[in-house]
Amino acid sequence: MGIKNIIIGLCLGIYTFCGCSNEPLQPIRSGEIWPDNNGEHINAHGGGVMYHDGTYYWFGENKCDTTSSAMVGVMCYSSRNLTDWKNEGVALSVVDNDSSDIARGCILERPKVIYNAKTGKFVMWFHLELKGKGYAAARAGVAVSDTPAGPYRFIRSGRVNAGKLPVNMDGQAVAVLDTLNAKNYEKWWTPEWTDAVNKGLIVKRDLDGGQMSRDMTLYVDEDGKAYHIYSSEENLTLQIAELSDDYLHTGNYVRVAPAGHNEAPAIFKKDGTYWMITSGCTGWAPNEARMFSSSSIFGPWSQHPNPCVGPKSELTFGGQSTYILKVEGKKDAFIFMADIWRPEHPSDARYIWLPVQFKEGIPYVEWMDNWTLDFFQ
């Protein structure tokens, strides 16, 4: 082979490796069937996307036709362009052992995966409820893998930050905490009870056994520091917990929007400001999105109006937030990801992916029937 042909061959190889092509960009159509490489609807609900070495990996809940319980586990799909997805199979399998935390039939939700550059491991966190126990356990589960698509090895599950008080609870707040007696607030949803929750009633209740952790996401900051963000305190308060160098909990965490009733957190950072979109707590039914911002991930956080714009914006377009994806190689390019839940036929749940836009520095998400990635310049 001549030197010219060698150079051409190398260039074509690089071109193919980069995922470049002359084919037009495929449109993203929220709410429709999204086929994978096998022609089957992508089954990765409540998920998140990790970018690693030129490939995006989408992890999510495998939903069956008749139940939202975990009968399979966490699925993984891969893509070089965010529109063509290859089914990589089950990243974390449930097991046929009822003594296991991840027994088939448990509730396993909101899986997120991040890469730990210091350890070379891929770390998955997820919300876990024990089989047959409803939503009483409120645990966080963790699994690890040497490769992005898995298989992942389950490590453990449990409540988080046992014996630790929030770092944004000062001495005066701790003194107030000492005065709260659960016997005085046995009737929920009263103004007095809500005020006590705001002051830390449930933090105190769960102090010894660990804080509740349900709907969740993960975030890796520019310095490599990772955070676990989850709905806690009976889904009434968000908590943001620092992870250690091996991406396990350090015991440092803060409360965000106490007694505000937020779940489904999704977070990103632009120009030094952290933005977080959440939902209210209305079960499988959609509601109006909320948005918060802070110059520090540990707060204080300020609430903003609903960021959604367009038809059904008051119901988050019929969906619920799950993740905000940064598009690699594009400046200030973020995709808002949400799920349109269909509890009567869970496997038919649909996806909403919309570009995050900005007006005077404030994010907003506008409905589009279809759009392509060239929306981002």
Side-chain angles (χ1 to χ4, degrees), residues 144-161:
V144 298
S145 174
D146 294 324
T147 57
Y152 283 74
R153 178 172 58 88
F154 177 66
I155 302 298
R156 66 170 183 267
S157 78
R159 295 279 181 97
V160 297
N161 298 315

Side-chain angles (χ1 to χ4, degrees), residues 42-338:
I42 292 172
N43 199 338
H45 310 281
V49 178
M50 175 190 66
Y51 179 82
H52 183 74
D53 284 349
T55 299
Y56 294 93
Y57 296 89
W58 180 357
F59 299 88
E61 310 159 28
N62 178 290
K63 294 290 191 186
C64 297
D65 293 343
T66 59
T67 179
S68 286
S69 295
M71 306 305 292
V72 175
V74 177
M75 298 296 296
C76 177
Y77 296 80
S78 66
S79 175
R80 303 297 293 269
N81 59 13
L82 292 176
T83 55
D84 300 307
W85 291 94
K86 177 186 177 184
N87 186 340
E88 297 284 356
V90 182
L92 175 67
S93 297
V94 294
V95 297
D96 290 314
N97 179 356
D98 282 352
S99 66
S100 170
D101 291 358
I102 57 169
R104 192 178 311 277
C106 68
I107 296 172
L108 196 165
E109 298 178 332
R110 308 270 170 174
K112 306 293 186 293
V113 175
I114 50 179
Y115 175 64
N116 190 328
K118 292 183 178 179
T119 64
K121 301 289 186 181
F122 298 88
V123 183
M124 176 189 295
W125 283 92
F126 51 90
H127 164 216
L128 181 71
E129 301 290 348
L130 302 177
K131 182 178 179 179
K133 303 294 184 181
Y135 277 82
R139 290 186 176 192
V142 61
V144 298
S145 174
D146 294 324
T147 57
Y152 283 74
R153 178 172 58 88
F154 177 66
I155 302 298
R156 66 170 183 267
S157 78
R159 295 279 181 97
V160 297
N161 298 315
K164 303 292 186 179
L165 287 171
V167 297
N168 61 343
M169 186 171 278
D170 60 21
Q172 183 177 358
V174 172
V176 171
L177 196 69
D178 289 340
T179 69
L180 298 177
N181 187 333
K183 293 182 179 179
N184 297 330
Y185 305 99
E186 293 181 348
K187 186 176 181 181
W188 287 27
W189 310 113
T190 66
E192 294 78 16
W193 175 84
T194 301
D195 181 62
V197 170
N198 183 28
K199 292 175 178 176
L201 179 68
I202 301 175
V203 171
K204 179 180 180 180
R205 183 198 72 184
D206 293 340
L207 186 60
D208 291 339
Q211 300 299 309
M212 305 175 86
S213 174
R214 290 192 178 127
D215 279 10
M216 57 139 287
T217 193
L218 298 174
Y219 178 73
V220 180
D221 215 335
E222 297 156 340
D223 60 0
K225 179 72 72 174
Y227 299 88
H228 179 205
I229 303 156
Y230 50 93
S231 185
S232 190
E233 302 175 35
E234 304 288 358
N235 288 8
L236 287 157
T237 303
L238 293 167
Q239 293 183 359
I240 300 178
E242 177 188 61
L243 298 183
S244 61
D245 285 347
D246 54 358
Y247 286 1
L248 302 176
H249 284 90
T250 66
N252 294 327
Y253 71 101
V254 295
R255 305 171 75 218
V256 178
H261 226 191
N262 287 277
E263 63 180 11
I267 188 171
F268 71 103
K269 183 180 183 181
K270 178 180 179 293
D271 298 335
T273 298
Y274 299 87
W275 296 94
M276 181 163 54
I277 296 176
T278 70
S279 85
C281 300
T282 52
W284 297 109
N287 56 63
E288 186 175 57
R290 294 96 176 268
M291 186 167 69
F292 301 83
S293 70
S294 175
S295 59
S296 166
I297 197 164
F298 266 14
W301 290 80
S302 301
Q303 187 166 355
H304 299 262
N306 176 10
C308 298
V309 176
K312 297 177 68 175
S313 59
E314 75 284 359
L315 293 174
T316 316
F317 317 118
Q320 185 185 40
S321 50
T322 184
Y323 197 72
I324 295 174
L325 168 63
K326 182 182 184 298
V327 181
E328 296 298 321
K330 301 283 189 178
K331 179 176 172 55
D332 298 334
F334 304 94
I335 297 175
F336 171 76
M337 297 171 51

